[in-house]
Amino acid sequence: MTALLEIKGLTIDIARDEGPARVVDGITLSLEQGESLGIVGESGCGKSLTMLSLVGLLPNRIRATGGTAIFGGRDLLAMSQRELRAVRGSEIGFIFQDPMTSLNPVMRIGDQIAEALIYQKSMAKPAALARAEELLATVGIPSPKERMTAFPHELSGGMRQRVMIAMGLAGEPKLLIADEPTTALDVTIQAQIVDLVRDLKSRSDMSVVWITHDLALIAGLADRIAVLYAGTVVEDAPVQALFDHPTHPYTRGLLASLPTLSDEPMSRLASIAGTPPEPGRRPPGCPFAPRCSLVEPACTAAVPQLTPVPGSDPRHRVACPVTTRGAS
Amino acid sequence: MTTLLEIRNLSKHFDLRLGAFGERGARVHALDDFSVDIAEGETLSIVGESGCGKSTTGFAILNLHHPSGGSVLYKGTDLAQLDEDAMRPFRRDLQIVFQDPYSTLNPRMTIGEALSEPILFHKLASKADLPARLAQLLQDVGLSARFASRYPHELSGGQRQRVAIARALACQPRFIVCDEAISALDVSVQAQILNLLLDLQDKYGLTYLFIAHDLAVVRHISDRVGVMYLGRLAELAPAANLFATPLHPYTRALLSAVPEANPRAPRNRQMLQGEVPSPLAPPPGCRFHTRCPLARGLCRSQTPAFREITPGHLTACHAVTSPTATNWETPA
């Protein structure tokens, strides 16, 4: 397998009156063709910004200030908006959390999907409309022909998310980035959407990046998981290795604080004391050090680099000098 | 155990005017025939998906939405009959914590001012005793007394939720409705707040109605769990029973849809087809029959009674007769 996407040393800053604040600090990640990568982390860890920066969709005042992102031999971060326009949709597709704000409320859904096809694939309108109807059928929308003329508000949340997925797939991208696509959905609908994307993926060689805060959800979806904390990758491992040998104290804390259906009723959950650092107030060294129970002087001296975990899968790497000791 | 609240056939309907000129009347059946006794000191959780009426249940019990029918007996008074003025003395005992503390805390009030309001309104402390009382409240929810002079925007989401809990505690209540109180929080913070709620319950003997959609969270905090579907209670059971032997087909589907934090977990889901029907026109008979794998003729015409299958474990399903058997084994 070859790397489809290779992010190296990505930094993202927010411009503020007091000066720039770093929110993504040297993320290095790679993704292979056909791979499913889960990017997991809590609010503000930079998981969405990292992916948005690839296609030039960062909000105002937030900029990628360093690093490279090689996709198909080209550096996405060095491309102009004009060049990126050719990448968005046709090479990298996106599904966002909230379809109601991503869909045009005054445009029929068939026309919205067809618009993407006309633009990206230079299709003629009748062919684009026919393809849009096929896509609606592919994503499991009942009676797609009738639904072509529906407006977004006439659909339920689950159906709207299916429309978003149809649009994400319209350009037949090599990489689909799904940013919390099921967070706003009920659990039974979430199960339907997850099965749909898994099924779509199994029928093509598309790579998928799942951005989520839900470790339980991602356990059944991803081949590999990268755990982000305060804008850095703290652990990167094949999914089985991550759940068998969670190594970074933050990953362990996250897993321990996850309520599960097999817990004792009325039992106390483990929790991680404190809160993540705010942008611009990053502690020196390891960003997790102030909340970590294993902290040592070495932790605050330098930002730890990802190193292999002794005794686990060779691809399992962790940025923690304490828990990976004995590696050398 | 003594009963704190005796709720009988509680209903809430909302009348809508549809059409450009409001010419068509429509009725949303948000809650129908909700009956349960809530015991002093217990945590009763209500779970279900969006629009199942779980929040309406909390609002109707507290008379924040005036119920359309039924009764809520508290200390010998039927709260459902009271108007806003008559309700006021009871508000002290019956509090609520919402999902989003950012929209329920006044952004121009310091935390101290926000916490003082209910104390002064209900005359629970003199002006002189107020600072000590505020410090105590903040300490109860794990915040230092310094927070009294801060504004909501200076706090993190978890800290704001602690303040919302402190404000509910300020009146020394007996009963707190937690309406998706931890749903918006990150998992590591969510665990902190859950533990806090359990600690406060131990310390003050509080009774909770915990409204949530996350079944794993509910398992952690509940003595009993009620599962709602489209405005009706489908199942009610002690927490351990509900998770070990779910009886209602909807509960089973709901539990099997919860993702497990284990990549090796078998994925034999009982996938529910379709979506929840509109509460504007709930299906006749059992409201779940349009999506139920067990549905038969009877389910389409007759509302199933809420029956006790094993002690304390009730469900509203024509098909379920015992924990192990159903009336009919094969789908219709």
Side-chain angles (χ1 to χ4, degrees):
Chain A
M1 286 215 272
T2 51
L4 174 73
L5 171 70
E6 216 161 349
I7 305 174
K8 278 211 175 101
L10 174 70
T11 57
I12 297 177
D13 289 349
I14 300 183
R16 299 184 308 177
D17 297 341
E18 314 90 271
R22 183 137 297 181
V23 281
V24 169
D25 192 22
I27 281 187
T28 296
L29 263 181
S30 72
L31 178 71
E32 287 170 1
Q33 183 71 50
E35 193 179 27
S36 245
L37 172 70
I39 297 190
V40 179
E42 299 182 278
S43 317
C45 73
K47 53 191 191 298
S48 295
L49 291 179
T50 298
M51 288 299 138
L52 288 172
S53 74
L54 300 180
V55 285
L57 289 179
L58 286 175
N60 279 342
R61 301 170 73 84
I62 302 185
R63 281 191 332 119
T65 47
T68 56
I70 308 298
F71 178 82
R74 296 166 301 165
D75 183 4
L76 294 171
L77 298 180
M79 283 189 186
S80 65
Q81 278 295 337
R82 192 191 175 84
E83 291 170 304
L84 282 171
R85 218 173 292 152
V87 172
R88 284 195 290 258
S90 40
E91 292 186 59
I92 300 180
F94 252 97
I95 311 172
F96 294 101
Q97 176 177 340
D98 181 6
M100 202 55 194
T101 55
S102 311
L103 294 172
N104 185 336
V106 293
M107 199 170 171
R108 298 179 194 278
I109 60 165
D111 293 339
Q112 294 195 48
I113 301 171
E115 187 185 42
L117 291 163
I118 293 165
Y119 187 81
Q120 289 161 7
K121 302 237 143 197
S122 311
M123 283 174 123
K125 185 147 191 202
L129 284 170
R131 176 73 187 133
E133 196 181 315
E134 277 174 38
L135 283 164
L136 287 182
T138 308
V139 296
I141 290 192
S143 37
K145 196 177 182 68
E146 288 70 44
R147 289 298 183 189
M148 285 286 284
T149 52
F151 289 101
H153 75 265
E154 297 174 294
L155 303 177
S156 68
M159 285 299 150
R160 283 200 288 264
Q161 197 53 278
R162 286 175 193 266
V163 172
M164 278 292 287
I165 294 171
M167 291 177 84
L169 295 173
E172 292 165 45
K174 294 193 198 101
L175 169 61
L176 183 70
I177 296 172
D179 189 354
E180 305 254 12
T182 63
T183 303
L185 302 176
D186 280 316
V187 60
T188 60
I189 307 298
Q190 166 172 289
Q192 293 175 0
I193 297 289
V194 160
D195 269 34
L196 169 67
V197 177
R198 207 191 337 236
D199 177 50
L200 292 169
K201 194 190 161 303
S202 72
R203 287 193 264 145
S204 75
D205 198 26
M206 182 172 71
S207 305
V208 179
V209 173
W210 290 90
I211 302 173
T212 180
H213 67 278
D214 188 342
L215 268 167
L217 176 69
I218 204 69
L221 275 174
D223 304 320
R224 218 179 86 222
I225 292 180
V227 180
L228 262 63
Y229 182 78
T232 62
V233 178
V234 295
E235 188 154 1
D236 183 340
V239 61
Q240 199 61 62
L242 188 94
F243 283 89
D244 285 349
H245 309 284
T247 302
H248 197 282
Y250 176 64
T251 313
R252 289 185 193 167
L254 268 188
L255 281 169
S257 56
L258 197 67
T260 71
L261 288 180
S262 46
D263 290 330
E264 275 302 303
M266 309 303 275
S267 57
R268 299 292 192 273
L269 276 169
S271 63
I272 308 174
T275 49
E278 285 167 43
R281 289 195 197 156
R282 305 177 63 81
C286 172
F288 189 62
R291 300 173 75 189
C292 185
S293 56
L294 304 174
V295 67
E296 291 183 4
C299 301
T300 49
V303 177
Q305 300 301 306
L306 285 171
T307 48
V309 176
S312 182
D313 189 291
R315 291 167 295 165
H316 187 171
R317 295 175 309 143
V318 167
C320 173
V322 180
T323 50
T324 55
R325 194 172 293 145
S328 51
Chain B
M1 270 202 284
T2 49
T3 301
L4 186 73
L5 287 157
E6 199 179 307
I7 301 159
R8 288 290 172 273
N9 306 101
L10 195 64
S11 300
K12 179 65 196 173
H13 302 147
F14 296 96
D15 287 320
L16 300 181
R17 308 295 313 169
L18 297 179
F21 303 99
E23 71 278 18
R24 280 185 298 136
R27 176 163 284 187
V28 181
H29 294 257
L31 179 67
D32 275 315
D33 273 331
F34 184 90
S35 298
V36 70
D37 286 347
I38 301 178
E40 179 119 46
E42 83 163 331
T43 300
L44 171 67
S45 290
I46 300 290
V47 295
E49 301 181 278
S50 318
C52 73
K54 55 190 191 296
S55 290
T56 304
T57 305
F59 275 65
I61 291 172
L62 298 185
N63 202 353
L64 290 168
H65 284 329
H66 191 72
S68 310
S71 60
V72 178
L73 214 59
Y74 174 71
K75 284 184 174 171
T77 308
D78 181 5
L79 303 180
Q81 302 301 326
L82 302 182
D83 62 17
E84 198 43 46
D85 283 340
M87 195 59 210
R88 207 156 285 149
F90 293 98
R91 294 257 175 251
R92 216 196 110 178
D93 289 0
L94 313 169
Q95 288 287 314
I96 184 164
V97 176
F98 296 98
Q99 174 173 353
D100 179 9
Y102 206 59
S103 58
T104 48
L105 290 170
N106 186 335
R108 289 160 188 264
M109 266 186 174
T110 63
I111 303 309
E113 286 165 351
L115 294 179
S116 305
E117 264 202 334
I119 299 175
L120 296 175
F121 179 85
H122 290 290
K123 302 191 174 60
L124 297 173
S126 65
K127 277 251 161 69
D129 298 336
L130 196 57
R133 176 75 187 128
L134 290 181
Q136 169 69 37
L137 276 173
L138 288 167
Q139 193 198 333
D140 274 347
V141 297
L143 296 174
S144 77
R146 292 178 292 127
F147 278 89
S149 56
R150 301 221 183 140
Y151 286 92
H153 75 265
E154 298 175 85
L155 274 53
S156 70
Q159 289 167 340
R160 279 199 290 267
Q161 200 53 283
R162 287 174 191 270
V163 170
I165 294 168
R167 193 171 52 173
L169 288 177
C171 322
Q172 298 160 304
R174 299 174 69 190
F175 176 70
I176 300 181
V177 174
C178 301
D179 188 2
E180 300 272 13
I182 59 161
S183 307
L185 303 173
D186 276 319
V187 58
S188 70
V189 180
Q190 174 179 298
Q192 294 171 11
I193 302 295
L194 264 185
N195 291 342
L196 173 68
L197 288 171
L198 288 169
D199 291 340
L200 291 170
Q201 183 168 44
D202 289 348
K203 190 169 176 186
Y204 295 114
L206 296 167
T207 306
Y208 292 138
L209 182 73
F210 194 83
I211 296 166
H213 65 273
D214 186 331
L215 287 152
V217 165
V218 158
R219 180 180 171 99
H220 251 276
I221 199 166
S222 318
D223 295 297
R224 287 192 299 159
V225 180
V227 179
M228 287 187 73
Y229 185 80
L230 209 56
R232 281 185 186 275
L233 209 46
E235 186 159 359
L236 176 71
N241 291 17
L242 187 97
F243 290 95
T245 49
L247 296 179
H248 198 283
Y250 176 63
T251 312
R252 291 182 190 176
L254 200 58
L255 282 172
S256 79
V258 176
E260 246 185 281
N262 173 8
R264 286 198 193 90
R267 284 172 207 289
N268 48 353
R269 287 206 178 117
Q270 303 178 14
M271 192 75 71
L272 275 188
Q273 300 302 316
E275 304 194 5
V276 184
S278 164
L280 274 173
C286 172
R287 289 186 180 175
F288 185 58
H289 83 250
T290 55
R291 300 170 80 196
C292 182
L294 301 177
R296 292 244 170 136
L298 181 65
C299 308
R300 295 182 190 105
S301 56
Q302 204 175 318
T303 303
F306 204 55
R307 292 174 299 131
E308 191 163 34
I309 306 295
T310 59
H313 196 155
L314 292 84
T315 189
C317 177
H318 291 302
V320 175
T321 48
S322 86
T324 48
T326 53
N327 270 337
W328 44 77
E329 282 305 323
T330 49

